[in-house]
Amino acid sequence: MSGSSGGATRIDGERLMGRLDELAQIGAIAGTHGNCRLALTDEDRAGRDLVCTWMADLGLEITIDGLGNVVACTEPGGVADSVMMGSHIDTVATGGRYDGNLGVLAGLEVIESVLASGHMPSRPLSVAYFTDEEGSRFAPDMLGSLAYVGGMALEEALKITDREGVSVGGELDRIGYRGSAPVPGTVPYAYMELHIEQGPVLEFHGIQIGVVEGVQGISWTEVTLRGQSNHAGTTPMPLRRDAGLAACRIAGEVREMAHNIGDSQVGTVGSISLVPNLVNVIAGSATMTVDLRNTSEGMLQHAEARLDEIVARIAEGEHLAAAMRRTARFEPIDFHPSVIDLVERCAAEASLTHRRLPSGAGHDAQMLARVCPTGMIFVPSFDGVSHNPAEYTAPEDIEAGANLLADVVWRLANGDIDGVLSSGADAASDEMAR
Ligand code: GLV
Ligand code: MN
Ligand code: MN
């Protein structure tokens, strides 16, 4: 139930679950709980339309920028002074219904509950969904929020193409979401994102809330290997130039390398495409992706250098030409210390079990953290599973996370954290100016 007792408004958990369910009907993967709403597809458009309808029903002022980022605010022209909530509503092709969608719909729910309570905080509230957070159709990930904070020029973002050569700009025009608001966008006073953990830590420890300290660095590389396509039966083993074999060896060594570096280092080869990809033909070329992540920038650079060495050595051994292209690169970021403290304090006051943790996944919040005080709240993921239709978070965890979001946002919007945040905000803008 929603309501207010003079402080933060409590959200309506059933309404939030209802909206999550309704949005999940768009691009539903048959026979599963999951979704396929790749960025800027027809399904993404239908999801965008539905969320915009809900924003408009609340009387919010909606702006759409040149990259399709959508921001809705309780006050016309009020975004710069607002506490912004948000995330993304695009999914990976084999996605769940909570990743990203929760942050957007919980933000909408907080706004609806606050409006219904009749008690407005001092600052306006806004809720945003950013374009192509997943990056699985158009790399890099967090594309919309990256451009929103000035990390990539709009013209450059519009030219990015998917594997079929279709551009971001063309798809935005086709689905009617190339808006007129400027990119970079308006920097809010502060930004908060509620998200599922997408990992096993909270569930393993039986904890309700993750107080997110920051996001690890991300490095994506596309590796292309060219050898010679030839007959599988007639080509003696020593005379082969097999791009498929080299791709598999690289995948094996990436895993070994991540294991040897240890700590937070992870390494994933999530995609290998072989040409011609036939049973009786040696693969003449291979295109593969390598995703490396680490909470330490220095260690991430070390992993990248190791990858260069692995690819060069294996390609040479198989007499292949190799090319490497970096498709995403983000340094690790720390969220604002005062916002982290505030999330922790609000969780403790609400008697929610909580622990601090870094985020393994990328988030729009890591982009907003470049320009304004930013924080994130995690809720548990069943079995730690995400980017999978089986992704699940219990309704009571969602409600607890959304109520915590409402509390944190209420305090931020009333400037109610002992003035610590305002000095931190100055530090954040000094950081940007450097
Ligand atoms: C985005 O979801 C990522 O972490 O790859
Ligand atoms: Mn997400
Ligand atoms: Mn995701």
Side-chain angles (χ1 to χ4, degrees), residues 225-229 240-243 282-286 318-321:
L225 303 162
R226 292 194 197 290
Q228 188 176 40
S229 178
R240 295 177 178 218
R241 297 172 58 213
D242 186 341
I282 297 163
S285 75
E318 196 65 19
H319 305 291
L320 308 176

Side-chain angles (χ1 to χ4, degrees), residues 195-282:
H195 206 285
I196 55 167
E197 182 201 343
Q198 309 183 269
V201 175
L202 295 177
E203 185 185 67
F204 179 79
H205 293 281
I207 283 173
Q208 292 161 293
I209 295 293
V211 179
V212 189
E213 295 176 292
V215 182
Q216 64 183 351
I218 302 177
S219 170
W220 285 0
T221 306
E222 183 186 80
V223 181
T224 308
L225 303 162
R226 292 194 197 290
Q228 188 176 40
S229 178
N230 210 336
H231 197 293
T234 62
T235 316
M237 297 313 285
L239 299 183
R240 295 177 178 218
R241 297 172 58 213
D242 186 341
L245 172 78
C248 294
R249 283 201 171 138
I250 291 169
E253 288 210 21
V254 164
R255 185 175 172 117
E256 204 178 323
M257 177 254 284
H259 186 77
N260 290 340
I261 292 176
D263 290 327
S264 68
Q265 182 65 51
V266 286
T268 306
V269 172
S271 163
I272 300 181
S273 317
L274 303 182
V275 177
N277 204 27
L278 295 169
V279 62
N280 54 356
V281 185
I282 297 163

Side-chain angles (χ1 to χ4, degrees), residues 87-88 99-100 133-134 195 198 362-363:
S87 195
H88 59 99
D99 177 0
E133 189 273 353
E134 294 293 4
H195 206 285
Q198 309 183 269
H363 296 292

Side-chain angles (χ1 to χ4, degrees), residues 66-347:
L67 198 49
N69 295 313
V70 174
V71 180
C73 188
T74 53
E75 275 180 29
V79 174
D81 196 31
S82 73
V83 176
M84 182 184 280
M85 296 165 280
S87 195
H88 59 99
I89 59 169
D90 68 312
T91 74
V92 297
T94 54
R97 59 173 58 191
Y98 306 96
D99 177 0
N101 303 298
L102 174 60
V104 177
L105 298 184
L108 196 70
E109 175 55 39
V110 169
I111 291 179
E112 178 155 11
S113 301
V114 169
L115 289 173
S117 76
H119 299 286
M120 293 305 291
S122 314
R123 297 176 186 282
L125 301 179
S126 59
V127 57
Y129 61 80
F130 296 100
T131 296
D132 185 43
E133 189 273 353
E134 294 293 4
S136 21
R137 182 172 181 206
F138 300 103
D141 48 354
M142 284 78 70
L143 178 65
S145 49
L146 175 67
Y148 189 89
V149 303
M152 183 187 280
L154 174 61
E155 300 67 39
E156 192 187 338
L158 292 172
K159 280 192 227 146
I160 293 171
T161 52
D162 67 8
R163 285 182 195 177
E164 275 71 51
V166 179
S167 73
V168 167
E171 286 296 79
L172 278 169
D173 287 335
R174 188 184 67 79
I175 68 166
Y177 271 89
R178 195 200 287 229
S180 56
V183 177
T186 306
V187 176
Y189 170 71
Y191 178 81
M192 277 304 304
E193 184 166 340
L194 173 66
H195 206 285
I196 55 167
E197 182 201 343
Q198 309 183 269
V201 175
L202 295 177
E203 185 185 67
F204 179 79
H205 293 281
I207 283 173
Q208 292 161 293
I209 295 293
V211 179
V212 189
E213 295 176 292
V215 182
Q216 64 183 351
I218 302 177
S219 170
W220 285 0
T221 306
E222 183 186 80
V223 181
T224 308
L225 303 162
R226 292 194 197 290
Q228 188 176 40
S229 178
N230 210 336
H231 197 293
T234 62
T235 316
M237 297 313 285
L239 299 183
R240 295 177 178 218
R241 297 172 58 213
D242 186 341
L245 172 78
C248 294
R249 283 201 171 138
I250 291 169
E253 288 210 21
V254 164
R255 185 175 172 117
E256 204 178 323
M257 177 254 284
H259 186 77
N260 290 340
I261 292 176
D263 290 327
S264 68
Q265 182 65 51
V266 286
T268 306
V269 172
S271 163
I272 300 181
S273 317
L274 303 182
V275 177
N277 204 27
L278 295 169
V279 62
N280 54 356
V281 185
I282 297 163
S285 75
T287 304
M288 63 195 297
T289 58
V290 184
D291 175 320
L292 300 174
R293 305 192 192 204
N294 200 304
T295 51
S296 149
E297 172 60 22
M299 291 313 293
L300 188 56
Q301 288 181 14
H302 172 66
E304 289 173 326
R306 290 285 326 275
L307 176 64
D308 291 350
E309 180 275 316
I310 289 168
V311 171
R313 175 169 42 77
I314 291 177
E316 192 188 339
E318 196 65 19
H319 305 291
L320 308 176
M324 296 172 76
R325 187 169 72 91
R326 188 123 304 145
T327 55
R329 182 60 164 90
F330 302 116
E331 290 187 13
I333 63 102
D334 296 322
F335 289 134
H336 194 291
S338 303
V339 180
I340 297 171
D341 287 348
L342 179 64
V343 173
E344 196 164 52
R345 191 175 351 138
C346 291

